[in-house]
Amino acid sequence: MVTLKNDVLEVELNAKGAEIIKIIGQQDHLNYMWKRDPELWANSAPILFPIVGALQNNECRIDGKTYTMTQHGFSRHNEYATHQLSDTCVEFELTPNEDILKQYPYLFDLKVIYTLTNNQLQCHCIVKNTDTKTIYFQIGGHPAFACPFMENESSNDYYIEFEQNETLNQKIIDVARKGMSHKTTLLFDNEKRFFVRQALFNNDAIVVKDFKSHYVTLKSLNHQKSLRFYMDNFNHLGIWTSKHVGGLLAIEPWVGHSDYVDFKGEFKNKEGVVELLEGQEFECQFTIEINQ
């Protein structure tokens, strides 16, 4: 485990999956991350790479060959190299090993850099193509937060608020077929907030794209504590709570999403996939701001 600490926050990170484990307020001593209950959902914030969501039959086709990869990719199952740069900054690094190359035949260098500044934790992801050919990938975050923040509260009093009024369609996940359907439904009509209700997540995550807002905020009706989540260079946003779990709300910035249920093409033709030429880098980042 790696610890980052300043006068405002203390952060615990795991090199496996480059995952945020805890974000604790130095003032209120609350952990704002999901408690990682192994009977409900044992993770808290793995980095998703080189896919977001699920592949049809856990298979993808690259240059005519079929590869097998489980949901959200191999990053979350692998140990990153750790380079602690200071008390408030650490760099995790993942490069291909033998097992990874069996799932994904591209050479890459993935750096995940966490920096703690005042009441903000920034996660900066950099993918470099170290191959001699163009590579393709998706990438995303999966941070799951405590909702409610405190015991003896109800998540029904919490709401997600976008920075700006939005008119957005929600992509509909086909749970039975383990993929994205082509159906959408209206989520916002020049609106900016919705309350956390279990029924909203009966079909898995709420997934939207092409939103204008640079951040969303998780707030309560009953106090001033809040969590603001900034996103840069992501084309989709997933908001998820595991069905019947309670106490968990994930805010997930994605580049790409699960396969459509009828997708049978090459990996490079998936919606939202990044095409990265030899020697080039792709960067994206999210920032978690805790207001105690």
Side-chain angles (χ1 to χ4, degrees), residues 1-237:
M1 293 291 178
V2 173
T3 299
L4 305 181
K5 189 174 182 179
N6 63 15
D7 292 339
V8 185
L9 298 174
E10 181 173 339
V11 176
E12 187 175 299
L13 303 152
N14 192 349
K16 184 178 180 181
E19 186 166 18
I20 308 166
I21 304 300
K22 294 180 180 178
I23 302 177
I24 299 172
Q26 300 280 42
Q27 177 182 317
D28 60 15
H29 307 294
L30 293 177
N31 176 20
Y32 284 81
M33 298 300 296
W34 161 243
K35 62 187 177 181
R36 295 168 60 88
D37 186 332
E39 294 187 6
L40 300 173
W41 192 58
N43 293 105
S44 49
I47 296 296
L48 315 181
F49 181 87
I51 59 171
V52 171
L55 301 170
Q56 284 295 296
N57 301 314
N58 288 334
E59 294 179 344
C60 64
R61 281 151 296 283
I62 298 175
D63 296 330
K65 187 176 179 180
T66 299
Y67 295 85
T68 299
M69 203 184 317
T70 57
Q71 182 165 338
H72 291 319
F74 50 72
S75 162
R76 61 183 182 149
H77 303 300
N78 275 267
E79 195 84 12
Y80 283 61
T82 301
H83 315 288
Q84 184 143 10
L85 305 178
S86 71
D87 290 343
T88 56
C89 185
V90 64
E91 176 187 281
F92 295 115
E93 183 176 19
L94 182 66
T95 54
N97 56 34
E98 185 178 346
D99 181 62
I100 286 173
L101 289 171
K102 290 177 182 177
Q103 303 174 66
Y104 180 74
Y106 293 126
L107 300 181
F108 65 89
D109 184 288
L110 169 57
K111 291 183 172 70
V112 180
I113 304 165
Y114 287 102
T115 305
L116 181 60
T117 306
N118 297 322
N119 66 333
Q120 294 186 337
L121 177 67
Q122 179 192 84
C123 176
H124 182 195
C125 299
I126 306 170
V127 183
K128 183 174 183 178
N129 179 355
T130 58
D131 213 318
T132 57
K133 57 182 179 291
T134 300
I135 71 171
Y136 301 88
F137 61 88
Q138 299 173 321
I139 189 167
H142 200 306
F145 302 105
C147 181
F149 299 148
M150 298 176 286
E151 295 182 5
N152 303 317
E153 286 191 292
S154 169
S155 60
N156 289 337
D157 294 329
Y158 280 70
Y159 58 95
I160 288 281
E161 184 172 84
F162 283 67
E163 174 196 17
Q164 302 180 44
N165 278 14
E166 303 273 4
T167 298
L168 291 172
N169 285 324
Q170 172 187 343
K171 289 176 175 282
I172 302 299
I173 295 172
D174 188 327
V175 177
R177 297 172 69 183
K178 298 181 180 179
M180 192 69 71
S181 76
H182 291 281
K183 298 177 181 178
T184 62
T185 186
L186 187 66
L187 177 68
F188 281 145
D189 184 5
N190 194 34
E191 301 165 272
K192 65 189 302 185
R193 69 167 66 169
F194 64 85
F195 279 84
V196 177
R197 294 290 183 270
Q198 184 62 58
L200 291 173
F201 303 96
N202 284 343
N203 270 346
D204 209 312
I206 294 171
V207 180
V208 295
K209 67 177 295 189
D210 299 332
F211 45 90
K212 300 178 296 183
S213 298
H214 293 101
Y215 63 78
V216 297
T217 309
L218 179 61
K219 297 180 177 181
S220 169
L221 291 174
N222 299 324
H223 52 72
Q224 296 302 307
K225 296 181 189 295
S226 67
L227 185 154
R228 181 162 288 178
F229 192 88
Y230 296 86
M231 300 161 285
D232 184 25
N233 209 25
F234 296 96
N235 54 32
H236 288 79
L237 174 64

Side-chain angles (χ1 to χ4, degrees), residues 41 142 201 204-206 238-242 248-252:
W41 192 58
H142 200 306
F201 303 96
D204 209 312
I206 294 171
I239 300 172
W240 171 79
T241 185
S242 185
L248 173 160
L249 187 77
I251 303 175
E252 306 175 38

